[in-house]
Every structure is written in structure tokens, then in C-alpha cells.
Amino acid sequence: MSETLENLSSETRKFPPPEALAAEANVTADAYAQADADRLAFWAVQAERLSWAKKWDQVLDWTNPPFAKWFLGGELNIAYNCVDRHVEAGIGDRVAIHWEGEPGDTRTITYAELLKLVSQAANTLTELGVGAGDRVAIYLPMIPEAAVAMLACARIGATHSVVFGGFSVDALATRIQDADAKLVITADGGYRRGKPSALKPTVDEAVAQCPSIEHVLVVRRTGQDVVWGEKDLWWHETVEQASPEHTAQPFDSEHPLFILYTSGTTGKPKGILHTTGGYLTQSSYTHWSVFDLKPETDVYWCTADIGWVTGHSYIVYGPLSNGATQVMYEGTPDTPDRGRFWQLVDKYKVSILYTAPTLIRTMMKWGDDIPAGYDLSSLRVLGSVGEPINPEAWMWYRENIGHNRTPIVDTWWQTETGSMMISPLPGVTATKPGSAMTPLPGVTADVVDDQARSVPDGGGGFLVLREPWPSMLRTIWGDDKRFIDTYWSRFGAGAGQGDDWIYFAGDGAKRDEDGALWLLGRVDDVMLISGHNISTTEVESALVSHPSVAESAVVGATDATTGQAIVAFVIPRGNVDTSGDKGEQLNVDLRNHVAKVLGPIAKPRQIMLVAELPKTRSGKIMRRLLKDVAENRSLGDVTTLQDSAVMDLIAEGMKSAKSED
Ligand code: 6R9
């Protein structure tokens, strides 16, 4: 790969923060100056947001890089910080969670009630022999018990490993084995797409391969039949009968809090390890600053699943540490109909909404008239996470959901970073559609060439983090070497270049003339077309900027003439007729449109009109599978694919399509 990434697109629209919001904002531009003047002092101030049983002696120990220690000598209890202290402060009656089941059943849980539930669960785990340092697997649907289980583990110092409720027997078993977990917390099932979907049979099969598991704690959610084994215990017969009194003990700032597995492109999944004080400091601070959270009045809703890092940091730890009131929803966005999200915003008067580009593009596909049917006037801040948000999707979000009033915060971060790293601040930053803008105060991000030199403004390259940050991963569970090899060996000291340890995030990015950052997707996906490095994101955004396109995925397929050629998969918007000649005409129009927006070098060789794209459960497009199809290979690993039928349809279509060149 040559030195940098091509910078093909340009964006001139810019939206300053709303005046009223800026005037009352939690954070002003001073935060950047303070962090620049003394980064560690800045993070020490943010750590004061938390209640420490024992104050730290030192903010950061970076003497053994890349193994960081934050807030050394400090002690705190995470569950105490997320629950007890709010009750002690007299806000026990505040709603912590407005939970809505997919069938429409609801539960309202105040902080005082949450304290009771978490204490009962902590007592039960202790009775079952789970103690500090033990690992617990959590395999639950989006029900309040998921948050309760995580907090109960944190409360007793057990390390949780949440596994997506949609993952297979194999995926669950491998994760249990890798972490050597003692206990699994699961449910009989959950509601998805209007019907109960079973979880327990998957756990039964996985546990049969996992001798480390001593007990299986089962929440009754759907009431469906389950096969009962000797390790099984009902949650309602144990937790709900346990004493609601439990005193939280403090743990060391570097005590392991959770492991969360991310599937790399190759090999077994990586168990990303996060610890206590630094993680909570940054997830709490970013939740408060990036969403401008006013805990007394805001109603916050993050639509992520709890099995994704976004659910950990921005459903559980960030919001609860801040005493926020939030909505938690069990099901899918199209049940009972495609207005469900907007109906929930309307019903609970949601003021801060945090969702993913995949959902925004799906809503674009479904049509503007759906959100238009609801009262969305309560919204005041909109957030996006998970993938680059194409400028057109950003504008759609702003106009149709935010009614041109609300700022959008496009937040870049990773399972590995633990919390947000690059994002606008809603009361400070003038935002550009499609850009995550600048590193947050206290974060040192850069875009570099292959020698780790900063690219000039207007250039593209590799996104790196030059200084350690509080919520950074500490290692890959059980594999320090893989931790170093994966994240620290591409640039800097770990690569034999100089003394500084540089974290490579795996993403490409560009920095525009104003210093704003644009994420360009994973560098593994970058296409090499006639000697030019072209990012998938730029071509996808160019396609989405055509009025007939809702969503697209682009891959580089081997090509005899150009090395690689661009193959695009496109989902048309809901109202677009693609029958017969109209489909062919659209195809030609789209190829020309990309050539016009980005230049002839980026013109796709071939475009496939499709109904769906292969995505992970957290909504990321799996380009690797599309590349397999485009190059006529059989499909690689599909364990994290949300819906495998999609791939069969795409492969069929691809076989019958004629090449366009
Ligand atoms: C939080 C989360 C991390 C990868 C990351 C990047 C992509 C996330 C993004 C974004 C562009 C954003 N990503 N947020 N790309 N703009 N705002 O998603 O964690 O599941 O570990 O994924 O997601 O490629 O490297 P995770």
C-alpha cells in the first residue's frame, strides 16, 4: 500500500451549534485548552465526577507501554457509582430505565428499585460462589435484567463477558471457554419480530461443551418451554427472593471490569479487557459532555444492543453513572410497524437519541412519511455511531428527525477505546455532514502516512492515537502478545520507529483543510485501483448522495486490467421503480454519478441492485462476504452475520448479472 489514501470528496455544508444549546452547554471550548495545557490534570478533574472510596496517588503509569495503568492506588465500586450514590443523594425516585418490551409491555425502574435489584443479584451471585475476579457470561435479550446482571457483577468484582443474544452455540461456547467463565446468565427467550425467540437451547448446547460452568441462571421472559438441567436456576426463584441489602466493596482502579469479544478479520475472537477507574471516568465524562446531558430533564435513548460495546458504555455505565433517565427497548424497529422508533420517541419524549448509520439509512429507505407521522419535538441532540455516516444520511437525519434544530454528534470510537474518542461537542463544534470532526478534549488522534508522519491538512492516511487514554483496552484477555501485535506494532516504538508507542486503530481517515477528521472505513477494505488507494466509504457516500439510493456497500474485486475494480451493491430508496429497463438505466446513471462526484478513477465497474446487505448484529456491513461474492469465492466465516439468507440472494443475483464494462 502506498503512503496515503486518496481524498476524493469534498463537503462545504457547515452547521454551527444552536445558540440556546451553546449558552447552556455542559462543556465549552475551554475544555480543549485545559486538556491541551495538561492532559493528565484534565483527566484527573474528570475522574472527580466519580465517588472514590480511596483517591488515586498517580493519574497514569505509562512506564511499561503499551500496558497502561490509570488512577493508580485509587479504589472505587462501579455499581455504587452507577446506583447507590444517586439514591444517597436523594434522587432514588428518579426513573433510571423506562423499559419497553417488543409486544408493548413496559416496566419503569427508579434508581431506588435498581439498587434493590442489583443488590439482590449481587447476593445471589455470591451465594452461587462467584467472587471477585471470576468471570460471568451474560447471554440475554434487551431486558432490564441485562443491565442488572452487569452491575451485579461489577458490584462484587466479577468480570462480565456479554455475548450477543443472536450468536450461535459455537460463538457462545468459544467465548465461555476463552474466559473460563463459572456462570452463565440467560433467559428462556426474548421477543424479536413479533414472536418469542428462544435463547435457552443455545445455552444448553454451549454449556454441554463448557465444564467450567457451574450454574446457569435463567430469567423468565417469554414463558416458553425450556428443558431444565441440573445446573439451571430460575432468576425469580433466586435473585427475586434474595436479600435487598448489600454493601458494595471498593476495588482497585485497575480491577478487571469486563471482557468483550470482537471478531477480528482472521483467527479466534479477541477478548478486549477493560478495567475500572479509567473506563468509568471516560465513559461517564463523554456521555455527559458529548450529549450535553442534563440528568434532571433529559430522556436519553441509545438504540444499541447491550451485547455491543455501545450498550456497555452508553446504556449501562455512562448514563447510569450520570444519573440519567433512559429508554431501553427490547425489539426490532419494524415491529409492529416501521414507525416503532418514532412512536417511542414521541411516547417517552426522548430528548437525546443515539443510533447507528445503518438504522438511519434503513429509515431513509422506508421513507420520510413515517417519522413525519410522529411528534419528535422533544429531541434536542442526535448521535451516530458504528460506521461512517454518509453526508446524505447525516442530512436526512438532521432534516427528518432533528427538523433542522438539533445538532448531530457523529462519535468515532471502538470496543478497544472503551469510550468516544472523536466527536463534535454539541454546544461548541460547527459540524460538517459526515465528519466526526475533532478528537475530544484529552484525546490525541492523528492521521499519518506509513512512516507515522502526520499528513498535511487535505491528506488521507491511517488513524492513530498518540497518547494513552483512560478507557483504553488494557490487553487481549490471556494474550498480551496478540495485544501488542494487533494494535501497537504497525507504527511507533512497537514497529521500531522511535520511542513513542502509537496505537493503530485499523481505520483510514483524512483531515480536511479545517482540520476536521473524516473516517474512511477499515484500511483492510481500501481498494487499490490502478495504483490509487480509494476508500470504500467515499464511493459509498457518493452513491448515497444520489436521490434514488438508500444504502450501498462497495468492495474492490480482482481485475485483470486495473488490479482491483470497484463493485458496488446498492439498495434503492423505497419509492424507486427498478423494474426492467428502469433498473438498467439506474445502473448506468449511478456509475456516471460516481464518476461525476469523485472523478473517473472511482467509477464502479459493476453495480448490483439488492434488497438487503449482509450486516453484523451491530449493523456493520460485512464487506468481506461481498468481496467473496464479487470474486466468485465460497463464503468465509459467517458466524457474526445477522441474516444468512441475504447472502444467498446476493450471490444468486451476482451470478445472473452481466458485467458492465
Ligand atoms: C463503537 C463501535 C469499531 C469500528 C471502528 C470504525 C467503525 C465506529 C464510527 C466508525 C466511522 C464513526 N466506527 N464509529 N466509523 N465513524 N462514528 O462501533 O465499536 O463495534 O468495536 O467498531 O467501527 O471502523 O474502528 P466496534
Side-chain angles (χ1 to χ4, degrees):
M1 167 153 186
S2 74
E3 280 182 14
T4 52
L5 260 171
E6 299 291 326
N7 172 7
L8 299 176
S9 61
S10 66
E11 174 61 62
T12 51
R13 292 167 286 194
K14 202 167 177 173
F15 300 93
E19 271 170 39
L21 193 150
E24 302 286 324
N26 288 349
V27 182
T28 64
D30 293 347
Y32 295 101
Q34 285 155 9
D36 284 348
D38 188 340
R39 189 172 55 90
L40 297 185
F42 171 82
W43 282 119
V45 170
Q46 309 321 321
E48 300 279 4
R49 309 175 52 74
L50 309 179
S51 301
W52 296 78
K54 178 171 171 285
K55 200 180 164 172
W56 60 89
D57 310 312
Q58 191 186 336
V59 176
L60 169 67
D61 175 2
W62 191 233
T63 51
N64 181 29
F67 301 94
K69 292 188 175 141
W70 282 85
F71 307 110
L72 263 80
E75 291 181 8
L76 73 167
N77 185 288
I78 292 238
Y80 175 84
N81 272 278
C82 291
V83 190
D84 308 43
R85 65 168 176 156
H86 304 313
V87 179
E88 286 172 14
I91 56 166
D93 290 343
R94 181 181 295 168
V95 174
I97 300 174
H98 288 292
W99 178 78
E100 173 109 359
E102 197 188 71
D105 50 335
T106 60
R107 282 165 72 184
T108 308
I109 300 174
T110 63
Y111 276 95
E113 285 159 348
L114 189 60
L115 175 58
K116 176 173 176 240
L117 291 168
V118 172
S119 300
Q120 288 181 310
N123 282 324
T124 302
L125 296 193
T126 309
E127 250 166 63
L128 293 177
V130 177
D134 288 339
R135 272 81 57 208
V136 174
I138 298 177
Y139 186 73
L140 282 170
M142 285 291 287
I143 55 178
E145 284 79 3
V148 171
M150 290 163 75
L151 290 164
C153 288
R155 191 173 188 91
I156 62 169
T159 304
H160 60 70
S161 161
V162 182
V163 180
F164 251 137
F167 278 176
S168 64
V169 172
D170 265 5
L172 177 60
T174 334
R175 286 160 175 76
I176 291 175
Q177 288 158 1
D178 186 71
D180 207 17
K182 258 188 161 172
L183 174 76
V184 187
I185 305 179
T186 187
D188 50 358
Y191 287 94
R192 279 191 79 76
R193 302 223 149 74
K195 42 182 200 295
S197 136
L199 285 179
K200 179 77 170 39
T202 311
V203 176
D204 292 344
E205 263 193 75
V207 167
Q209 308 166 30
C210 300
S212 65
I213 294 295
E214 295 170 8
H215 298 285
V216 179
L217 194 50
V218 189
V219 178
R220 191 162 62 193
R221 163 63 185 136
T222 60
Q224 66 202 111
D225 286 340
V226 290
V227 177
W228 208 242
E230 54 186 25
K231 292 181 177 178
D232 299 343
L233 298 161
W234 282 115
W235 177 281
H236 60 272
E237 290 176 358
T238 51
V239 176
E240 288 172 18
Q241 312 303 322
S243 159
E245 305 296 326
H246 184 275
T247 308
Q249 303 297 319
F251 291 98
D252 188 88
S253 179
E254 282 298 333
H255 188 78
L257 173 64
F258 68 84
I259 303 169
L260 185 58
Y261 287 86
T262 70
S263 47
T265 37
T266 53
K268 66 170 188 160
K270 304 185 285 273
I272 304 301
L273 179 69
H274 284 287
T275 59
T276 299
Y279 172 78
L280 195 64
T281 296
Q282 193 172 339
S283 52
S284 186
Y285 171 69
T286 50
H287 180 258
W288 174 81
S289 59
V290 170
F291 295 123
D292 189 43
L293 178 81
K294 310 286 195 247
E296 301 78 20
T297 47
D298 274 320
V299 178
Y300 165 82
W301 181 23
C302 168
T303 68
D305 191 282
I306 210 108
W308 184 22
V309 70
T310 307
H312 286 55
S313 302
Y314 298 105
I315 294 178
V316 180
Y317 296 113
L320 296 177
S321 67
N322 288 326
T325 294
Q326 69 178 313
V327 172
M328 181 177 181
Y329 171 56
E330 178 185 34
T332 45
D334 51 356
T335 309
D337 59 56
R338 292 173 165 183
R340 187 64 184 272
F341 270 27
W342 316 120
Q343 179 248 329
L344 290 176
V345 169
D346 192 340
K347 173 176 174 183
Y348 291 103
K349 303 293 164 224
V350 171
S351 56
I352 304 170
L353 178 69
Y354 193 30
T355 192
T358 176
L359 264 155
I360 298 165
R361 293 186 301 247
T362 301
M363 302 290 177
M364 278 170 79
K365 179 174 73 178
W366 289 347
D368 306 359
D369 52 319
I370 296 175
Y374 296 89
D375 178 6
L376 306 181
S377 61
S378 53
L379 290 167
R380 66 179 201 93
V381 178
L382 300 176
S384 172
V385 60
E387 283 183 294
I389 174 166
N390 324 101
E392 243 21 70
W394 196 102
M395 287 304 297
W396 187 91
Y397 197 23
R398 180 181 157 85
E399 285 162 11
N400 292 276
I401 308 304
H403 298 160
N404 296 311
R405 294 177 295 106
T406 66
I408 296 178
V409 288
D410 172 15
T411 62
W412 178 89
W413 58 292
Q414 306 177 299
T415 305
E416 291 86 343
T417 69
S419 316
M420 297 166 181
M421 300 293 282
I422 305 175
S423 169
L425 287 174
V428 180
T429 317
T431 51
K432 302 183 183 193
S435 170
M437 301 305 297
T438 53
L440 286 167
V443 171
T444 323
D446 197 1
V447 182
V448 301
D449 65 15
D450 58 1
Q451 298 299 311
R453 292 173 298 223
S454 298
V455 299
D457 286 354
F462 304 91
L463 182 71
V464 298
L465 302 168
R466 288 191 179 275
E467 302 283 357
W469 61 101
S471 65
M472 67 196 282
L473 78 166
R474 298 304 193 258
T475 190
I476 291 175
W477 181 256
D479 202 342
D480 287 350
K481 183 176 178 299
R482 191 173 180 201
F483 168 61
I484 298 174
D485 291 348
T486 310
Y487 304 108
W488 305 93
S489 300
R490 183 73 176 78
F491 300 107
Q497 306 171 335
D499 298 330
D500 294 333
W501 284 79
I502 300 177
Y503 172 91
F504 174 45
D507 286 348
K510 67 183 186 187
R511 184 170 28 223
D512 71 15
E513 278 66 21
D514 298 330
L517 299 174
W518 298 76
L519 275 301
L520 295 179
R522 310 291 298 169
V523 294
D524 301 341
D525 293 333
V526 165
M527 304 172 290
L528 188 57
I529 316 290
S530 305
H532 297 266
N533 286 309
I534 298 186
S535 108
T536 52
T537 304
E538 292 213 297
V539 180
E540 286 163 5
S541 290
L543 284 162
V544 177
S545 74
H546 188 281
S548 298
V549 176
E551 175 143 35
S552 77
V554 157
V555 297
T558 314
D559 185 276
T561 344
T562 53
Q564 280 189 329
I566 299 176
V567 177
F569 299 81
V570 167
I571 304 181
R573 288 215 199 188
N575 56 353
V576 177
D577 181 0
T578 57
S579 55
D581 287 354
K582 297 202 178 82
E584 299 216 353
Q585 187 54 46
L586 177 61
N587 208 307
V588 174
D589 290 350
L590 291 179
R591 294 176 67 230
N592 291 335
H593 175 75
V594 175
K596 190 167 136 240
V597 176
L598 299 179
I601 185 77
K603 185 172 183 173
R605 179 184 75 188
Q606 194 177 0
I607 290 182
M608 288 282 309
L609 299 180
V610 295
E612 295 291 341
L613 288 167
K615 288 179 190 162
T616 65
R617 286 283 301 237
S618 69
K620 294 193 204 319
I621 295 171
M622 296 178 78
R623 289 184 192 72
R624 184 175 49 79
L625 296 184
L626 292 171
K627 197 169 151 102
D628 288 344
V629 172
E631 295 184 340
N632 270 319
R633 266 193 309 277
S634 59
L635 294 186
D637 180 17
V638 292
T639 42
T640 53
L641 183 64
Q642 187 171 23
D643 175 6
S644 53
V646 168
M647 283 321 293
D648 299 338
L649 286 174
I650 294 176
E652 270 311 301
M654 191 78 188
K655 266 186 226 139
S656 54
K658 60 180 188 338
S659 185
E660 304 267 344
D661 51 348

